[in-house]
Amino acid sequence: MTTRQEATTSPEATTPPEARAVAERELCGLVNGLAHRIADHVRRQAVPLGLTAAQATALREMTGPMTMRELAERMTCEPSNATFVVDKLEKRGLVERRPHPTDRRAKHLVLTAEGTALRDRLLGLLTRESPLAALTPEQQRALQALLEQTVAPA
C-alpha cells in the first residue's frame, strides 16, 4: 500500500535532474527537427507557384481579412518583415490593403480573387507529403493539444 505522500508525488519529482535534462534536450531536438522539415516542405511547395517560403507562409496564414500586426503574429515575424512580404504579394495582385472597418489608423489585408485561388492551390500542395501526413487525424489533434499546452501563457 502506498502512503499519501507517494500517491501525490509527481514523476518529475522522482526523476533525477540529469535524466529530465536529457529528455528535454531530446524533445527539443525533435520539435526543432519537425520545424525544419515543415519549413523545407513549405519552401519546396512554394517554388513551383513562384513564391518564396515567407510569401507562402503569409498566404497560408491569411484565413480572412486581418491587420499587418495580426499577420506578423501568425507568421511569427516582425511587422516590418510581414510588410515586406505583403508588398511583394500586393505587386503580384494577390493581396489588397483596404481601410479597416473600425480603426482609421489600420489597414485590412484581403486576398484578391487571384490570391484566393493561389492560396487554395498552395494549401492543396502543403497537405500532400507533409511531414505531419504520417500521423492519423487523432494523432495530429493530440500533438496539437500537447503543443498548445507548452506554448500557452503561464
Side-chain angles (χ1 to χ4, degrees):
M1 182 165 179
T2 62
T3 66
R4 185 171 183 82
Q5 173 87 19
E6 289 170 346
T8 60
T9 302
S10 70
E12 184 177 278
T14 60
T15 305
E18 301 83 26
R20 289 196 313 266
V22 168
E24 181 159 331
R25 180 186 57 77
E26 289 173 352
L27 187 55
C28 287
L30 290 169
V31 170
N32 192 35
L34 177 59
H36 282 287
R37 287 192 60 207
I38 291 170
D40 288 344
H41 177 68
V42 169
R43 196 172 300 106
R44 282 192 312 274
Q45 302 311 314
V47 169
L49 300 177
L51 298 168
T52 66
Q55 291 168 343
T57 300
L59 286 178
R60 181 189 67 202
E61 296 303 325
M62 290 190 67
T63 56
M66 64 184 60
T67 65
M68 191 68 71
R69 182 170 304 285
E70 291 167 327
L71 179 60
E73 287 174 9
R74 287 182 174 206
M75 292 176 67
T76 62
C77 70
E78 293 295 320
S80 60
N81 292 348
T83 298
F84 178 79
V85 171
V86 169
D87 287 347
K88 301 293 185 192
L89 293 173
E90 189 175 35
K91 284 180 184 164
R92 285 189 57 183
L94 303 172
V95 175
E96 292 179 349
R97 288 175 167 99
R98 295 185 184 162
H100 192 283
T102 59
D103 184 349
R104 292 183 305 145
R105 299 166 298 165
K107 295 285 186 191
H108 250 166
L109 304 173
V110 179
L111 290 174
T112 63
E114 187 180 346
T116 299
L118 187 59
R119 181 180 187 273
D120 290 344
R121 284 184 56 205
L122 173 67
L123 293 178
L125 291 171
L126 290 176
T127 56
R128 253 187 273 141
E129 299 174 20
S130 163
L132 299 173
L135 301 176
T136 66
E138 295 84 18
Q139 290 171 323
Q140 289 181 18
R141 283 191 295 276
L143 178 59
Q144 180 175 349
L146 291 169
L147 292 172
E148 285 172 349
Q149 269 186 300
T150 65
V151 298

